[in-house]
Amino acid sequence: MVPPLLTTHNDNQKGKNVTKVKKIMKILLAVAIITFILLLAIYINHKIHLNKEQKLLVPISTMVEIDGHNMSVYIEGSGEKTLVFMSGGGTCSPILDFKSLYSLLSNKYRIVVVEKFGYGFSDVVDKKRGIESILADTRAALKAAGIEAPYVLCPHSMSGIEALYWAQQYPEEVLAIIGLDMVVPKSYQDYNINMPMLKLSQFASAVGITRLLPGVSDSDAITNGTLSNKEKEIYKAVFYNRTATITMLNEVKSIKENARKVESDHIPQVPMLLFVSNGEGTGWDKETWRSYQREYIANIANSKMIELDCPHYIHDFEYQVISEKIVEFLSYNTRL
């Protein structure tokens, strides 16, 4: 038989535990409700702004149809050589991102900026982003826009993999590669891709949380480039529509495998001019970052590397110097 006092003590303790659990549940429920209301308010605010920004999202490029979806191709200037600018991963507005640089070149060359699916004014498409598919889309977009090969490829960052693959598979289409702090296959050997963080960025963008972060839409093109006030407005509108899209995330998921495919093939023997940053914004320290490009072009006869003391988006910082060196390279290279 259990002593009466002990029974009473146990019952009181159980009652306190139940009360404590109920209080915790009420607190958690209150937090959940407040969080939901807050996110709903943020999302409504986001949708209101998106609706207002629609007038800024009228394409400033030619739209072509690829596999039933629209791709954006920007064309400016004229000349015997065609420079195709290829954006880095996650660059929401390639056309405006490169503008400070190509505006200094369009009086001598035909400038083309292909905005891949998920970028700029192109459609967001949930499709696999193997290197074969990415390049097929780019080549099809150029053909649909009436831009014929050969091309001088100007890739920034992650697009370096696509440019090298292009030169491997279709060397007759590539006159030269001008790397704007572009990656080479070895860059991704030990690269750690934080997909959970990218997924979180995608959620924050979709809900509109990014609008609450001061200066988050002020890209290097906006703060350091030569964009007009109107172009800055357009860039920001594109940013809130094309940040961490599903297409971009699919690209990131495939990049290491894409890099392995390029590395397993031959090093393309096309003239290369590589502009390389100080590593800031790449995830690598300066010497490691520069060593990747230096080692790669050591096996290319007609190549040159120019080191710049600026962050990763070099074309938004040193556009004057880069434009002059490009003209010099294309003017005096005998193959071109």
Side-chain angles (χ1 to χ4, degrees):
M1 180 176 180
V2 180
L5 290 177
L6 183 58
T7 301
T8 302
H9 173 76
N10 288 340
D11 289 344
N12 288 340
Q13 187 62 41
K14 288 180 180 178
K16 290 180 180 178
N17 289 340
V18 170
T19 302
K20 188 175 182 180
V21 170
K22 286 183 178 179
K23 286 182 178 179
I24 293 174
M25 293 300 293
K26 286 182 179 179
I27 292 173
L28 292 176
L29 180 60
V31 169
I33 292 173
I34 292 172
T35 301
F36 174 77
I37 293 174
L38 182 60
L39 289 176
L40 181 61
I42 292 173
Y43 179 70
I44 292 173
N45 175 67
H46 181 48
K47 295 298 287 184
I48 291 173
H49 278 85
L50 288 177
N51 186 56
K52 291 180 179 179
E53 291 162 356
Q54 282 304 307
K55 63 180 181 294
L56 296 170
L57 298 176
V58 178
I60 56 177
S61 53
T62 299
M63 303 303 292
V64 297
E65 185 176 322
I66 308 298
D67 293 333
H69 303 284
N70 292 320
M71 275 187 75
S72 163
V73 180
Y74 179 81
I75 306 167
E76 177 179 308
S78 60
E80 293 182 1
K81 298 181 181 68
T82 300
L83 277 57
V84 178
F85 286 81
M86 305 159 70
S87 70
T91 302
C92 63
S93 180
I95 293 173
L96 295 177
D97 180 61
F98 286 123
K99 187 173 180 60
S100 296
L101 175 57
Y102 67 64
S103 62
L104 299 175
L105 297 165
S106 59
N107 62 327
K108 291 181 177 294
Y109 313 106
R110 179 166 56 173
I111 303 299
V112 181
V113 183
V114 178
E115 294 190 312
K116 294 178 288 187
F117 285 129
Y119 292 74
F121 298 105
S122 295
D123 289 347
V124 175
V125 181
D126 188 359
K127 62 185 295 189
K128 292 182 178 180
R129 295 281 73 187
I131 192 65
E132 302 90 346
S133 175
I134 294 174
L135 180 56
D137 288 344
T138 301
R139 294 177 69 239
L142 288 170
K143 182 178 180 180
I147 309 298
E148 298 181 356
Y151 315 110
V152 175
L153 305 182
C154 303
H156 172 238
S157 193
M158 195 166 75
S159 280
I161 298 300
E162 181 184 358
L164 293 174
Y165 185 73
W166 198 336
Q168 288 173 341
Q169 302 301 312
Y170 306 97
E172 72 283 358
E173 294 184 2
V174 181
L175 279 176
I177 293 177
I178 297 175
L180 303 172
D181 215 32
M182 77 177 205
V183 300
V184 295
K186 190 176 179 180
S187 307
Y188 288 113
Q189 280 184 357
D190 301 315
Y191 187 68
N192 182 34
I193 299 174
N194 191 340
M195 286 307 299
M197 182 59 69
L198 292 174
K199 286 285 188 180
L200 183 61
S201 297
Q202 184 183 44
F203 173 77
S205 175
V207 173
I209 296 174
T210 49
R211 289 186 184 273
L212 306 180
L213 306 177
V216 69
S217 63
D218 292 339
S219 67
D220 290 330
I222 288 176
T223 57
N224 298 288
T226 59
L227 298 182
S228 66
N229 289 334
K230 181 67 173 181
E231 289 167 339
K232 290 177 182 179
E233 287 184 41
I234 296 172
Y235 196 115
K236 291 182 179 183
V238 174
F239 172 84
Y240 291 120
N241 276 266
R242 292 291 186 272
T243 295
T245 64
I246 185 62
T247 326
M248 293 176 181
L249 265 60
N250 289 344
E251 266 187 3
V252 175
K253 289 178 184 177
S254 301
I255 187 57
K256 296 191 79 165
E257 177 58 28
N258 290 340
R260 279 193 289 268
K261 287 181 180 178
V262 173
E263 188 168 29
S264 66
D265 206 337
H266 66 285
I267 295 178
Q269 294 301 309
V270 299
M272 290 192 196
L273 173 62
L274 303 188
F275 295 96
V276 186
S277 75
N278 59 18
E280 184 181 337
T282 66
W284 289 273
D285 63 85
K286 180 170 70 174
E287 291 310 314
T288 301
W289 177 245
R290 290 179 173 178
S291 69
Y292 292 142
Q293 284 88 337
R294 190 179 298 114
E295 290 173 13
Y296 193 83
I297 65 170
N299 300 298
I300 301 171
N302 193 350
S303 63
K304 183 178 182 180
M305 176 172 156
I306 297 176
E307 298 177 356
L308 301 171
D309 188 18
C310 64
H312 186 43
Y313 278 74
I314 58 174
H315 47 279
D316 292 323
F317 291 89
E318 297 289 352
Y319 40 85
Q320 188 69 49
V321 171
I322 294 172
S323 65
E324 292 171 0
K325 294 298 182 182
I326 288 176
V327 172
E328 182 181 310
F329 178 74
L330 296 180
S331 298
Y332 293 101
N333 194 307
T334 55
R335 181 179 183 273
L336 304 178

